[in-house]
Amino acid sequence: MPEIKVTPLGAGQDVGRSCILVSIAGKNVMLDCGMHMGYNDDRRFPDFSYITQNGRLTDFLDCVIISHFHLDHCGALPYFSEMVGYDGPIYMTHPTKAICPILLEDYRKITVDKKGETNFFTSQMIKDCMKKVVAVHLHQTVQVDEELEIKAYYAGHVLGAAMFQIKVGCESVVYTGDYNMTPDRHLGAAWIDKCRPDLLISESTYATTIRDSKRCRERDFLKKVHETVERGGKVLIPVFALGRAQELCILLETFWERMNLKAPIYFSTGLTEKANHYYKLFITWTNQKIRKTFVQRNMFEFKHIKAFDRAFADNPGPMVVFATPGMLHAGQSLQIFRKWAGNEKNMVIMPGYCVQGTVGHKILSGQRKLEMEGRQILEVKMQVEYMSFSAHADAKGIMQLIRQAEPRNVLLVHGEAKKMEFLKQKIEQEFHVNCYMPANGETTTIFTNPSIPVDISLGLLKRETAIGLLPDAKKPKLMHGTLIMKDNSFRLVSPEQALKELGLAEHQLRFTCRVHIQDPRKEHETVLRVYNHLKGVLKDYSVQHLPDGSITVESILIQATAHSEDQGTKVLLVSWTYQDEELGSYLTSLLKKGLPQSTA
Amino acid sequence: YGDLHTFELQAPTRLIEWARGNRVCVAGYGQSGGNEILQLLPPPSLQVKETQGLCPERDFKVECGGFSNRPVYSLKYVPDTSLLVTSGPPDSSLQVWQVSAEDSDVIKPVSAIPTESDTGQSWAKIATISARAPWVLHGSRLNSVQITEVESRKNIYMAAARNSEELSGLAFLDCNTLLLCSAKGQLCLADIRQPQSPLEAASVPSAPCGERWCMGVGRGPQGSDSSPRPVARLSSGGHLTLTDVRKISESLASAKCRVPSPSSGAEFLCVSWAPALESCLAVSGFDGTVHVYDAQSWDGSGREAEPIFVHKGHAFGGSDSSGGPPSVTTHTWHPQKARTLLSAASDGSLHVWDWVQPGGNC
């Protein structure tokens, strides 16, 4: 049976690095290439030695697909392509291609410059890696080679995140990456058509979560900001470029308007050069409703939000500042943080995950004394808050996606085995499909049932339709013929034609069976008895009594002779060809039961 | 409000039960099968004393779940075991389940406790205790009240009641005493050491006939020496009566709460005492609100009482499956946090809220 093989090299049953190998109809595809953020040693990279022990991976993989720019999905990409070695195509959406290198470079800086690691990829490697990237549009079918094609679908979650369909012939796999089924302020919900893939690979991180409503989180965020500003404190919100930052800006702007607040809100302009470029990327990636909002309010045309100048950080009085980078590891946000950290009236709100080693991560873990450059100790007295708006699908969302795509099998990644049993049963019960949960390094084999098109000869077609009833378009029709496989073509022809083409002579197989009957009369009387008996029983068949004393039932021959030693016993010879096996056996057992006493 | 969190369950629930470790259990009550029993781990913010605003973990986690073909109308954990018991239409039999959160996250059906079939679509009300052994008290009518040992399914006690009125609630007052409440509002006490003696009953003071009643039994905070709380009875017309279990034929106090008309019927009537507050009780089931009352000021007159707090959150939700505005199906108090309640409604919403006493203390 043809099969699809899936091996997670990461995100089998843990949350960390995502890297999944799929083998479909002879093609090998790698889905995501993430870094595990919790480890500092080689465990943070996926184990590529599974693919090959030595040498470059180009020959073993047909392509690599990256779903979105989060480091646990693309963090190991430069290591993989430049240090292990891969020169084939890497596919991702346009926003992902634009944002990935920035995050990778940031990450490299933290790891090498701040933490002093050596076995890590360089800036040049990131650049070389990105040269291998082919950007794709949503719903655009991309031919990787003659047989393998891929298509990206909108996944929500973050800017540029996509779900990918990988198709070879009529076998297909859909990989969701991280996705979200409820729209938020700046991103729509994931969507896929009823593509009925053989396998759907879905993340299940939040499958066991029932999320607090967005409005409550937003309300609490505004409350915190308001309280701080009311007592004269300053609020620092480190953000990354685009995405959540816009959402929070709109939120604050509306709140300021409603409450008639006067404290200034600033947005760091460290990005203005690239801002327009990102802005354009961003606009095409959101849905219609959000696009309209942005057309009316350009990012830099907020009434209450102004561009930031470094000097403002020293101004007295309350204010709110959005500054980059998001993890407080360098640049403007770190500078502002250092100025404001000592005052307990101030607050810093971290809007997302921070990589280990960054100031953001340290303060979220509770550290209040930080060592800065030059051995300076910074005491953090300001309030530290964490707020996560990141969107993943919960159990309801996963069920929705399965309902949309209608896969034949489901495979779950990103969750813990014991905690996914309930979801597995839920999926199996509702959709009657198999649900798999492999661990890292464990290969799951999915058997598919592909349809293989076969040419049928005209003669055979005509013959088969002449026999049976009119063809019913909805019911499959069973046909008999011979399948000839030559080169890459399949043909169905009649046996006679096949023999002719192959230059073979037809062999006939004939069976003969002897049945003993007790009958003292003469042979021709016995034959008559048999004939009448069979004619009575086999009303639908053609039973004939031939002049030479033999009986035929269809093409089966029956002859009677006297037993050599015992005149009272007659021997019936029943002879049939291989094609009439069924009727022949039936006749034999019928005759063995004996003849009825009374005969005509 | 001190705090408010709103959540949405995939299917509405009409029960919220507390389990070990502050876990919460909800279950679906759809008629067409495929109902889920979910044991939820509340977010850490509900487990610590002070509420934190922007706590990183704000979500409920589904710790384990099970599937039930029947609608689940009532669920009780069996103390000191890893079992729970459910009941629901179409009959009054009980289903026993095993929760084993370490090995797997599936709540497995273990056995069923059958009962004699009853007329009509009745379902058993249940209460559990593990004094001498894990027992479940159950029944759908006054004359079908019995105690069954959960693991052996042996019948321990059978109430000798003469009438077959429908039951609306039952409870263990201690390991020997039962309190039963019929749908007509009649309270009965029974001692399981004397199974033959008929139940001592007290009827409801001057309330119009035709109303349905339910009861709420209060327990003080664990380990407290305070005298047992009175039993509160709530009717579908909004009448509230407080009765001391030691003098069951008298009523201590009564009041009336404002009932919207038309009210949504008596199916989800619920009244409960606050475990950590003196004389506060909560009432729900008439519409999409939960009312909190202070019963200290009540007397015997039965006049209308003003709630000290009204939670209206559920009324602003979407519509429920029948297309109408959502009704609150159940509510419960947090065992430790004095003013925190959880409430669920027919549109699947689950709210966790902390109310602030306007002025004075409660």
Side-chain angles (χ1 to χ4, degrees):
Chain A
M1 286 273 282
E3 45 197 37
I4 299 178
K5 285 194 158 83
V6 179
T7 311
L9 294 184
Q13 273 167 13
D14 65 343
V15 190
R17 47 183 144 61
S18 284
C19 185
I20 301 169
L21 286 179
V22 174
S23 200
I24 174 172
K27 304 283 171 190
N28 296 325
V29 177
M30 180 186 284
L31 302 170
D32 279 339
C33 189
M35 184 78 93
H36 196 301
M37 310 309 270
Y39 294 123
N40 276 332
D41 49 33
D42 280 347
R43 282 177 299 175
R44 60 182 155 202
F45 300 123
D47 185 10
F48 298 117
S49 65
Y50 184 86
I51 307 172
T52 178
Q53 295 289 347
N54 43 32
R56 300 181 76 77
L57 298 169
T58 317
D59 297 328
F60 295 91
L61 291 171
D62 292 281
C63 73
V64 173
I65 297 176
I66 302 292
S67 62
H68 63 288
F69 61 67
H70 275 160
L71 287 173
D72 58 343
H73 289 254
C74 73
L77 196 60
Y79 168 81
F80 160 74
S81 74
E82 305 311 304
M83 290 169 83
V84 179
Y86 171 77
D87 301 309
I90 301 173
Y91 293 97
M92 55 180 80
T93 59
H94 287 272
T96 312
K97 183 176 175 182
I99 299 173
C100 250
I102 304 175
L103 280 181
L104 287 169
E105 178 57 35
D106 258 5
Y107 184 52
R108 190 206 64 77
K109 261 199 239 154
I110 300 170
T111 316
V112 173
D113 299 346
K114 301 274 171 192
K115 299 205 282 188
E117 298 217 14
T118 44
N119 187 26
F120 212 73
F121 47 82
T122 63
S123 296
Q124 186 58 42
M125 286 184 191
I126 297 176
K127 293 197 180 93
D128 292 336
C129 170
M130 296 311 288
K131 287 196 195 118
K132 299 174 186 170
V133 169
V134 178
V136 301
H137 294 284
L138 284 180
H139 306 163
Q140 169 199 11
T141 303
V142 175
Q143 290 288 143
V144 177
D145 59 32
E146 278 169 3
E147 287 141 331
L148 172 62
E149 59 183 50
I150 62 173
K151 183 152 83 163
Y153 288 93
Y154 192 78
H157 186 59
V158 287
L159 188 59
M163 308 188 286
F164 279 88
Q165 180 195 36
I166 300 127
K167 200 156 149 172
V168 180
C170 50
E171 289 174 77
S172 64
V173 172
V174 169
Y175 171 59
T176 64
D178 288 347
Y179 65 104
N180 178 34
M181 297 301 285
T182 44
D184 60 30
R185 281 180 206 267
H186 75 291
L187 287 172
W191 178 86
I192 193 166
D193 50 15
K194 215 185 272 288
C195 51
R196 298 220 177 99
D198 291 287
L199 176 65
L200 175 75
I201 303 176
S202 170
E203 68 128 356
S204 54
T205 329
Y206 277 67
T208 51
T209 310
I210 297 182
R211 298 208 87 201
D212 185 5
S213 79
K214 197 130 187 285
R215 283 173 57 191
C216 286
R217 287 169 198 255
E218 288 178 349
R219 192 202 65 229
D220 286 345
F221 165 69
L222 291 172
K223 193 163 137 187
K224 288 275 162 181
V225 172
H226 192 200
E227 277 169 8
T228 308
V229 159
E230 284 288 284
R231 60 168 184 248
K234 299 172 167 54
V235 182
L236 171 66
I237 308 176
V239 288
F240 165 73
L242 253 63
R244 302 280 160 217
Q246 268 58 42
E247 209 171 305
L248 298 175
C249 280
I250 299 175
L251 199 57
L252 277 187
E253 166 96 352
T254 323
F255 186 64
W256 247 240
E257 187 77 29
R258 189 155 51 93
M259 305 289 281
N260 202 15
L261 297 177
K262 300 287 179 247
I265 309 176
Y266 298 111
F267 197 100
S268 153
T269 54
L271 310 158
T272 8
E273 316 86 68
K274 299 197 185 127
N276 281 327
H277 172 57
Y278 287 132
Y279 179 63
K280 286 200 198 96
L281 266 180
F282 179 57
I283 276 298
T284 53
W285 202 258
T286 61
N287 59 35
Q288 198 61 33
K289 176 172 137 193
I290 296 160
R291 215 171 289 172
K292 260 199 285 191
T293 319
F294 272 87
V295 166
Q296 286 161 17
R297 311 147 152 267
N298 184 304
M299 188 173 92
F300 299 113
E301 282 170 21
F302 284 122
K303 204 164 114 189
H304 298 272
I305 305 182
K306 303 181 182 43
F308 186 67
D309 183 289
R310 216 187 306 179
F312 294 172
D314 298 317
N315 286 0
M319 66 173 81
V320 180
V321 176
F322 289 92
T324 63
M327 296 186 242
L328 280 186
H329 53 278
Q332 197 152 68
S333 60
L334 184 62
Q335 272 180 16
I336 301 172
F337 174 74
R338 291 171 75 159
K339 286 199 180 160
W340 295 357
N343 188 338
E344 66 252 349
K345 279 202 258 186
N346 297 339
M347 178 186 288
V348 60
I349 302 181
M350 307 298 299
Y353 179 80
C354 291
V355 170
Q356 223 176 23
T358 55
V359 171
H361 189 265
K362 288 184 188 151
I363 59 175
L364 281 178
S365 338
Q367 254 188 282
R368 289 295 175 263
K369 285 193 165 49
L370 303 171
E371 193 178 305
M372 301 274 128
E373 285 113 44
R375 300 273 173 122
Q376 285 185 319
I377 303 287
L378 179 68
E379 240 193 273
V380 181
K381 292 206 189 120
M382 74 193 304
Q383 270 186 274
V384 178
E385 295 283 344
Y386 172 78
M387 175 193 60
S388 164
F389 280 130
S390 96
H392 285 252
D394 59 6
K396 187 161 148 187
I398 298 176
M399 304 299 272
Q400 256 179 294
L401 188 72
I402 299 177
R403 206 168 289 127
Q404 273 185 17
E406 279 188 27
R408 292 201 194 100
N409 297 279
V410 174
L411 192 134
L412 299 175
V413 290
H414 249 163
E416 294 170 55
K418 281 190 288 191
K419 305 279 160 83
M420 296 204 286
E421 181 69 39
F422 179 58
L423 177 64
K424 174 170 152 36
Q425 279 197 14
K426 197 167 143 130
I427 293 174
E428 286 174 345
Q429 277 188 12
E430 174 137 353
F431 299 109
H432 307 291
V433 294
N434 287 326
C435 186
Y436 303 89
M437 308 180 309
N440 280 343
E442 190 186 321
T443 302
T444 305
T445 306
I446 317 268
F447 294 108
T448 59
N449 220 349
S451 315
I452 304 173
V454 169
D455 286 328
I456 184 168
S457 78
L458 199 58
L460 187 62
L461 193 61
K462 280 188 184 163
R463 184 181 7 159
E464 288 287 332
T465 52
I467 299 175
L469 310 153
L470 287 170
D472 185 334
K474 296 208 181 114
K475 292 202 186 119
K477 184 160 175 58
L478 193 64
M479 297 201 177
H480 295 264
T482 310
L483 186 70
I484 301 183
M485 294 192 282
K486 199 166 171 190
D487 298 324
N488 268 339
S489 72
F490 296 89
R491 277 184 307 133
L492 197 64
V493 298
S494 65
E496 298 81 23
Q497 186 177 346
L499 287 167
K500 202 162 46 168
E501 278 192 30
L502 296 167
L504 295 172
E506 188 174 350
H507 294 272
Q508 287 267 348
L509 276 175
R510 203 155 188 93
F511 297 95
T512 307
C513 194
R514 285 179 168 70
V515 180
H516 292 251
I517 298 188
Q518 292 297 326
D519 194 354
R521 285 167 279 197
K522 300 241 176 71
E523 280 155 31
H524 67 266
E525 281 166 12
T526 312
V527 168
L528 204 56
R529 274 184 77 196
V530 172
Y531 170 68
N532 285 322
H533 171 54
L534 289 178
K535 199 135 171 85
V537 174
L538 302 170
K539 295 200 175 66
D540 295 325
Y541 292 85
S542 138
V543 184
Q544 293 182 329
H545 191 180
L546 297 179
D548 69 356
S550 55
I551 303 171
T552 59
V553 178
E554 300 289 328
S555 58
I556 298 174
L557 191 64
I558 305 175
Q559 291 172 321
T561 54
H563 196 277
S564 47
E565 281 141 35
D566 173 15
Q567 279 297 315
T569 306
K570 298 290 174 296
V571 180
L572 293 177
L573 264 77
V574 189
S575 167
W576 62 88
T577 61
Y578 173 69
Q579 279 79 0
D580 295 318
E581 164 68 35
E582 209 180 311
L583 186 57
S585 306
Y586 171 69
L587 267 180
T588 313
S589 20
L590 180 66
L591 290 169
K592 277 191 181 150
K593 289 192 193 136
L595 296 174
Q597 286 307 316
S598 60
T599 49
Chain B
Y1 284 100
D3 215 353
L4 168 65
H5 295 258
T6 62
F7 298 87
E8 206 180 292
L9 298 170
Q10 209 171 333
T13 181
R14 54 187 286 167
L15 56 95
I16 306 175
E17 285 298 321
W18 289 95
R20 250 192 309 241
N22 274 343
R23 288 166 171 79
V24 162
C25 192
V26 295
Y29 58 93
Q31 296 295 329
S32 45
N35 291 300
E36 291 177 359
I37 300 173
L38 300 173
Q39 182 174 290
L40 308 175
L41 192 60
S45 57
L46 282 188
Q47 303 203 21
V48 288
K49 267 290 166 183
E50 305 93 51
T51 34
Q52 298 173 30
L54 291 176
C55 191
E57 290 299 326
R58 299 163 60 101
D59 309 320
F60 271 94
K61 280 219 181 331
V62 175
E63 208 179 23
C64 36
F67 298 98
S68 165
N69 284 328
R70 288 175 186 241
V72 181
Y73 277 30
S74 182
L75 185 152
K76 289 274 185 283
Y77 280 87
V78 182
D80 302 330
T81 67
S82 59
L83 302 172
L84 57 85
V85 181
T86 63
S87 71
D91 59 39
S92 40
S93 63
L94 307 180
Q95 294 79 45
V96 183
W97 307 74
Q98 167 107 18
V99 182
S100 48
E102 279 83 46
D103 301 348
S104 96
D105 65 342
V106 179
I107 300 178
K108 299 191 234 313
V110 172
S111 60
I113 296 176
T115 54
E116 278 141 36
S117 50
D118 222 338
T119 49
Q121 279 250 327
S122 63
W123 52 283
K125 319 295 179 283
I126 38 185
T128 53
I129 196 170
S130 274
R132 278 165 239 154
W135 286 348
V136 57
L137 169 66
H138 59 108
S140 54
R141 292 185 181 279
L142 276 178
N143 60 356
S144 67
V145 172
Q146 51 191 293
I147 297 182
T148 308
E149 195 170 83
V150 180
E151 269 142 14
S152 65
R153 283 176 280 161
K154 206 167 56 160
N155 184 281
I156 305 287
Y157 164 86
M158 192 78 201
R162 257 162 289 170
N163 70 54
S164 60
E165 258 176 62
E166 199 187 326
L167 255 186
S168 76
L170 36 71
F172 279 99
L173 287 180
D174 57 42
C175 55
N176 292 318
T177 321
L178 311 176
L179 180 65
L180 312 172
C181 179
S182 79
K184 292 217 178 91
Q186 204 175 63
L187 277 182
C188 303
L189 277 174
D191 188 326
I192 61 173
R193 294 165 295 193
Q194 297 163 355
Q196 295 312 314
S197 63
L199 305 176
E200 186 193 323
S203 50
V204 184
S206 62
C209 289
E211 291 190 357
R212 277 187 65 99
W213 291 79
C214 72
M215 76 166 171
V217 178
R219 262 167 250 281
Q222 289 198 322
S224 73
D225 306 314
S226 53
S227 51
R229 297 279 179 73
V231 175
R233 275 175 290 173
L234 170 70
S235 84
S236 50
H239 292 99
L240 278 159
T241 313
L242 304 182
T243 314
D244 188 329
V245 290
R246 295 164 296 188
K247 280 194 249 170
I248 202 168
S249 43
E250 293 170 21
S251 112
L252 282 176
S254 58
K256 188 174 183 314
C257 53
R258 219 173 300 143
V259 172
S261 55
S263 79
S264 51
E267 202 179 334
F268 301 127
L269 283 185
C270 186
V271 58
S272 64
W273 289 98
L277 298 171
E278 202 61 43
S279 68
C280 273
L281 47 70
V283 164
S284 72
F286 297 106
D287 54 19
T289 63
V290 182
H291 291 216
V292 179
Y293 291 92
D294 181 354
Q296 218 157 38
S297 55
W298 293 0
D299 54 23
S301 64
R303 63 191 152 92
E304 197 160 292
E306 275 297 309
I308 53 177
F309 187 81
V310 178
H311 171 65
K312 297 193 196 114
H314 293 283
F316 296 113
S319 49
D320 64 3
S321 52
S322 61
S327 316
V328 174
T329 54
T330 184
H331 70 263
T332 185
W333 292 80
H334 193 287
Q336 285 97 36
K337 297 178 78 156
R339 284 189 185 73
T340 302
L341 284 105
L342 275 72
S343 54
S346 52
D347 62 345
S349 56
L350 177 68
H351 291 186
V352 181
W353 43 283
D354 196 321
W355 54 279
V356 172
Q357 167 73 2
N361 274 334
C362 179

